[in-house]
Amino acid sequence: MKKLLLALLVSLGLQTQAQINYCDSIEINLVSSSTWCNLETNIPNLGIPGMVEYDWTLVDPTAQWNWAGWDSTATPYFLLTPNSTTNNVNPLYWNDTLVICLTVLIYDSVNNQTLNCYNNCEDTLFWDGSQWNLLSMMQQPPSITCDSITSTYSNITPNSIDVTTNSMSLGIQWPTHAWDLYEGGWNGQLTYSDTTVNTTIPLPSPNLVDTFVLCNWSDYGAFPYSCYSCDTFAWNNGNWNLLSMIQQPYFCCDSITYWTDQSQGFNVGLDTTGIVHNPDSMEVYWQACTNGLCYAGQGMYAFFGQIMTTDTVKLCYDVMIWESGVLEVCTHCDTLIYDGSNWVLFSMSNTTSINEITFNTISDNKIYDMLGREVNNVTIGTMYIRNGKKYIRVR
């Protein structure tokens, strides 16, 4: 029995050893990184009985996956310079992101087999502004979204703008990036594109266009995959400015209103206490409508004696404002009712009562002609009215 158990344990041990898959156990580590990037694997710790050959390749995903470095040693050194430290635009071998591909040939002398381990280019080097980092060795941020990407603008002149973004240093695999400039806004023409993270972008002549849109585009091999954000710049006071930072003009129409009084009749007047700018002149035209009739007024004040406090009034004004030879026309209408103490907007009033509509039924059998006159006799062929209904006498 003991011999049987021993044989079984030996058999299981040999089977376990035979099932070892060295390819699934290989890991890539970053030993040191600056301008020189030193890589290694955990293969020496796997106790592989036999010979191991290495084939390291660094490829650039933004340059049609061209190779940027090659080595066949166990601990290769690569001299890498990121494009963020140069003024080059997407040159070969000068990128912020490089993909690591490693092929390992293992000659297992114990099991007399050859293993070809290919990691399918599953790791990535990226430059964070000061050193190279291995994506698999970094703790991924919990929630990176398109909102995590920033665009920073500085040194804005009439001819150029300095830009930078964090889109390539968020730790997302296989990032690519571009700045795109559209002259004249979204409907304009794409006139400049740059894939450098930190760069100086030439700006269009303000004599040709007064606005341009600058977009920050980013694509990744993982979530959030594709992102873009755009800012509009406008020519203002001799330089380019972010449109969102320019104080928007405030039109006079937005700063005027009117008042009403509480007396019998209907008094209205234009309220210009909050008006902006300093108009040279104004003309005011009023119109008040009720019960199918409209009444006109003119001037800063108007009185409509025809309006009663029991009426529902549609009040409109047209104000023509001249300032420095520029005309601004303001038009506004409201529906007003009297709530017992003030004229208020119809939409702001409270319900005063709800009554059923009642109909008066006439059944006195009196006869009227079509003009509403009471008659005693109706000739044959004549239409008449009785008890609220129309009849024709036929005999």
Side-chain angles (χ1 to χ4, degrees):
M1 184 65 179
K2 291 182 179 179
K3 292 182 179 181
L4 180 61
L5 289 175
L6 181 61
L8 180 61
L9 291 175
V10 171
S11 175
L12 289 175
L14 292 175
Q15 182 178 3
T16 302
Q17 182 176 3
Q19 290 177 347
I20 294 176
N21 190 338
Y22 296 112
C23 295
D24 294 338
S25 305
I26 297 175
E27 297 176 356
I28 298 175
N29 299 314
L30 180 63
V31 180
S32 61
S33 64
S34 55
T35 304
W36 284 94
C37 185
N38 181 206
L39 299 172
E40 67 175 9
T41 69
N42 64 337
I43 291 178
N45 301 324
L46 297 180
I48 298 176
M51 185 176 61
V52 179
E53 292 183 1
Y54 299 85
D55 187 325
W56 298 86
T57 306
L58 301 185
V59 294
D60 186 347
T62 66
Q64 299 179 346
W65 296 86
N66 289 318
W67 67 273
W70 177 84
D71 199 294
S72 61
T73 62
T75 56
Y77 283 83
F78 295 99
L79 176 60
L80 303 174
T81 305
N83 67 6
S84 58
T85 63
T86 74
N87 293 322
N88 294 291
V89 179
N90 197 27
L92 191 60
Y93 318 145
W94 294 69
N95 198 4
D96 285 333
T97 304
L98 295 172
V99 177
I100 304 173
C101 301
L102 172 62
T103 300
V104 178
L105 286 177
I106 299 176
Y107 302 95
D108 188 344
S109 59
V110 172
N111 297 301
N112 193 27
Q113 62 179 345
T114 300
L115 300 176
N116 185 347
C117 304
Y118 177 59
N119 78 343
N120 199 27
C121 303
E122 291 180 351
D123 224 329
T124 304
L125 285 169
F126 70 91
W127 182 259
D128 66 1
S130 59
Q131 65 179 7
W132 289 97
N133 297 272
L134 195 62
L135 186 61
S136 61
M137 296 177 62
M138 293 193 64
Q139 182 179 359
Q140 295 296 314
S143 57
I144 295 179
T145 66
C146 290
D147 293 333
S148 306
I149 300 173
T150 60
S151 301
T152 304
Y153 309 113
S154 60
N155 299 325
I156 304 175
T157 72
N159 301 315
S160 64
I161 180 174
D162 291 344
V163 295
T164 185
T165 180
N166 66 341
S167 65
M168 301 291 284
S169 57
L170 295 176
I172 308 174
Q173 65 179 353
W174 303 347
T176 57
H177 160 78
W179 298 99
D180 287 342
L181 188 147
Y182 299 84
E183 291 187 8
W186 278 107
N187 295 326
Q189 181 181 3
L190 175 63
T191 58
Y192 187 83
S193 186
D194 195 328
T195 58
T196 312
V197 174
N198 308 315
T199 189
T200 299
I201 296 179
L203 301 181
S205 170
N207 297 324
L208 301 177
V209 294
D210 57 7
T211 58
F212 67 85
V213 174
L214 187 58
C215 295
N216 181 356
W217 301 87
S218 302
D219 290 310
Y220 303 98
F223 183 83
Y225 297 107
S226 184
C227 302
Y228 76 93
S229 62
C230 298
D231 288 307
T232 300
F233 289 78
W235 183 258
N236 183 58
N237 294 327
N239 203 0
W240 293 105
N241 296 267
L242 269 171
L243 187 62
S244 59
M245 302 295 291
I246 300 175
Q247 184 176 359
Q248 299 299 310
Y250 192 85
F251 298 104
C252 287
C253 293
D254 299 326
S255 59
I256 60 175
T257 183
Y258 64 92
W259 54 262
T260 60
D261 70 359
Q262 295 79 39
S263 63
Q264 180 67 32
F266 192 59
N267 281 289
V268 295
L270 197 68
D271 184 355
T272 60
T273 55
I275 196 169
V276 297
H277 305 161
N278 185 24
D280 299 323
S281 62
M282 289 192 298
E283 291 185 12
V284 185
Y285 299 91
W286 301 90
Q287 186 180 65
C289 299
T290 185
N291 299 323
L293 298 174
C294 292
Y295 310 98
Q298 184 176 353
M300 295 295 292
Y301 313 98
F303 172 71
F304 300 95
Q306 307 89 337
I307 305 296
M308 308 293 289
T309 54
T310 56
D311 293 332
T312 299
V313 183
K314 182 176 181 181
L315 176 68
C316 299
Y317 65 73
D318 295 303
V319 181
M320 289 183 284
I321 303 174
W322 279 270
E323 182 180 3
S324 300
V326 178
L327 172 63
E328 184 177 351
V329 179
C330 310
T331 299
H332 185 81
C333 291
D334 283 325
T335 299
L336 307 174
I337 63 171
Y338 195 71
D339 68 355
S341 58
N342 297 285
W343 288 97
V344 297
L345 289 173
F346 181 72
S347 59
M348 297 174 59
S349 63
N350 296 319
T351 303
T352 56
S353 64
I354 299 177
N355 298 312
E356 293 282 351
I357 299 177
T358 58
F359 297 92
N360 294 324
T361 302
I362 301 174
S363 58
D364 56 9
N365 289 321
K366 290 184 178 181
I367 299 174
Y368 301 88
D369 63 15
M370 299 307 296
L371 297 178
R373 296 172 297 188
E374 186 176 356
V375 296
N376 294 322
N377 297 306
V378 179
T379 59
I380 295 174
T382 302
M383 183 179 292
Y384 64 95
I385 300 173
R386 185 171 61 185
N387 295 334
K389 295 182 180 180
K390 295 177 182 179
Y391 299 90
I392 296 178
R393 183 177 178 182
V394 294
R395 58 180 179 177

